[in-house]
Amino acid sequence: MLRTIAVVIMDGVAPFELGLLCEVFGVDRSDDGVPRFDFRVCGERAGEPLRSGVGMLVTPEHGLDALAGADLVAVPAHGIIDDYPPAVLAALRAAADRGTTLVSVCSGVFVLGAAGLLDDRPCTTHWRHAEELARRFPAAKVDADVLFVDDGTLVTSAGTASGIDACLHVVRRELGSGVANAIARRMVVAPQREGGQRQFVELAIPECTGDSLQPLLAWMLEHLDTEHSVADLAHRAMMSERTFARRFAAETGTTPGRWMALQRVLHARRLLEETQLSVEEVAHVCGFGTAALLRHHFHKIVGVAPKDYRRSFASTP
């Protein structure tokens, strides 16, 4: 059962990520049939104000001894630093040794990594921090595509609002869908979101490391609605097919087909955000030909269907 929740904070705590933990676990919603949690905000020393990342102080009511007996210990986002307080890391390791469920929100996973709790375990963080997490903790199995990862006693979430997804998931896992839905309803959020982080990532356009193909790449971008064979592109570049394929891979890091698919998806994203063209029309304009082919490539690269993406990111109703 999920009764006692302890949140560990340090200097540099992010107020929003701390707030979402307070909102899910710290608010008395017993009038909605939600069990009341024993909610504890803990610091290295009880009553000692800690700096947040936005110019205000947060004072924990409890010290690290309050982690004892907690069913769940959560770490909100903090500034990513090289040296976290040794007492905090030791307290997290002790909680893990007791079998306590650990939850991190966004960059809070770096604290768990510093405590040595990510080795050989799947985890996630904000997509901007994923490469750094993998670099610092090479034994961790970092998945940058998902909103959260449930590995039993370790639950890690991606950026900001993904912490809500992870916390509601833990509530659903431990107390059932009815309780999770009741909390979500009061928070006015979806009980369970679809898709992963890829829909929020600004896709990088493969860059050309040389200039020999730059005019051709510009021409290809101007003719996304046209089908281009390798033979046609090689002829336009005045190269043999073998030389062209080798040069294209060297300068863009990918194949002509994959490069075009990515450019078409990038263009489709913009059209879905900024226009009211139907999915079928977007597919035609971007060179996919059919809505089915657009949906296939869009979901493969972005992680959600075009209509779901438009529902979340369209700039016009």
Side-chain angles (χ1 to χ4, degrees):
M1 293 296 291
L2 191 62
R3 297 187 181 92
T4 304
I5 291 86
V7 178
V8 179
I9 63 172
M10 300 164 288
D11 274 335
V13 63
F16 183 90
E17 284 79 355
L18 171 59
L20 72 85
L21 291 166
C22 297
E23 183 71 21
V24 174
F25 299 113
V27 176
D28 182 1
R29 295 193 173 92
S30 53
D31 56 339
D32 283 332
V34 176
R36 184 171 182 174
F37 301 112
D38 177 2
F39 184 74
R40 309 167 183 176
V41 178
C42 309
E44 188 171 356
R45 285 170 288 275
E48 180 177 295
L50 298 169
R51 295 186 299 271
S52 75
V54 293
M56 69 178 185
L57 299 176
V58 181
T59 304
E61 184 177 352
H62 301 275
L64 296 175
D65 58 324
L67 272 63
D71 303 303
L72 183 149
V73 172
V75 183
H78 285 77
I80 301 172
I81 59 177
D82 292 329
D83 299 304
Y84 296 100
V88 170
L89 302 183
L92 291 171
R93 284 192 290 267
D97 290 341
R98 292 192 296 268
T100 305
T101 296
L102 301 175
V103 173
S104 68
V105 180
C106 192
S107 59
V109 72
F110 284 82
V111 185
L112 300 182
L117 302 175
L118 299 182
D119 289 358
D120 298 318
R121 305 195 70 172
C123 59
T124 192
T125 188
H126 192 291
W127 56 270
R128 284 185 178 271
H129 305 319
E131 288 187 6
E132 177 66 10
L133 184 67
R135 186 190 68 79
R136 289 195 181 204
F137 311 109
K141 302 174 182 177
V142 181
D143 185 347
D145 286 341
V146 295
L147 296 176
F148 61 87
V149 173
D150 180 349
D151 190 42
T153 56
L154 178 68
V155 179
T156 54
S157 64
T160 310
S162 300
I164 299 175
D165 299 305
C167 290
L168 290 176
H169 168 76
V170 171
V171 172
R172 186 181 305 108
R173 187 185 78 178
E174 301 296 328
L175 301 175
S177 296
V179 175
N181 291 345
I183 295 174
R185 193 175 302 116
R186 282 283 293 269
M187 292 177 64
V188 197
V189 298
Q192 190 169 357
R193 286 194 293 169
E194 296 181 357
Q197 288 199 79
R198 277 181 292 166
Q199 61 188 303
F200 303 101
V201 176
E202 188 65 36
L203 294 175
I205 298 176
E207 296 182 357
C208 208
T209 56
D211 60 359
S212 63
L213 291 181
Q214 196 60 51
L216 177 66
L217 296 178
W219 181 85
M220 292 168 69
L221 288 175
E222 293 174 359
H223 298 83
L224 290 176
D225 59 343
T226 304
E227 193 60 42
H228 307 293
S229 69
V230 172
D232 292 339
L233 293 173
H235 178 73
R236 179 172 286 275
M238 294 184 290
M239 300 177 187
S240 69
E241 291 185 36
R242 178 176 295 182
T243 300
F244 173 75
R246 184 172 63 251
R247 184 72 62 81
F248 197 97
E251 296 191 9
T252 68
T254 187
T255 66
R258 290 175 181 172
W259 192 88
M260 280 298 294
L262 176 57
Q263 304 313 312
R264 285 167 171 160
V265 167
L266 287 169
H267 190 40
R269 277 176 48 148
R270 289 191 291 270
L271 294 176
L272 292 167
E273 291 173 7
E274 301 170 5
T275 76
Q276 297 185 31
L277 294 174
S278 68
V279 173
E280 289 76 12
E281 290 170 323
V282 170
H284 177 73
V285 171
C286 294
F288 284 116
T290 67
L293 196 57
L294 168 61
R295 284 191 288 269
H296 169 77
H297 286 283
F298 200 91
H299 195 282
K300 183 177 180 180
I301 293 173
V302 182
V304 294
K307 286 185 177 179
D308 293 334
Y309 182 85
R310 167 172 274 168
R311 191 178 303 115
S312 298
F313 294 99
S315 58
T316 56

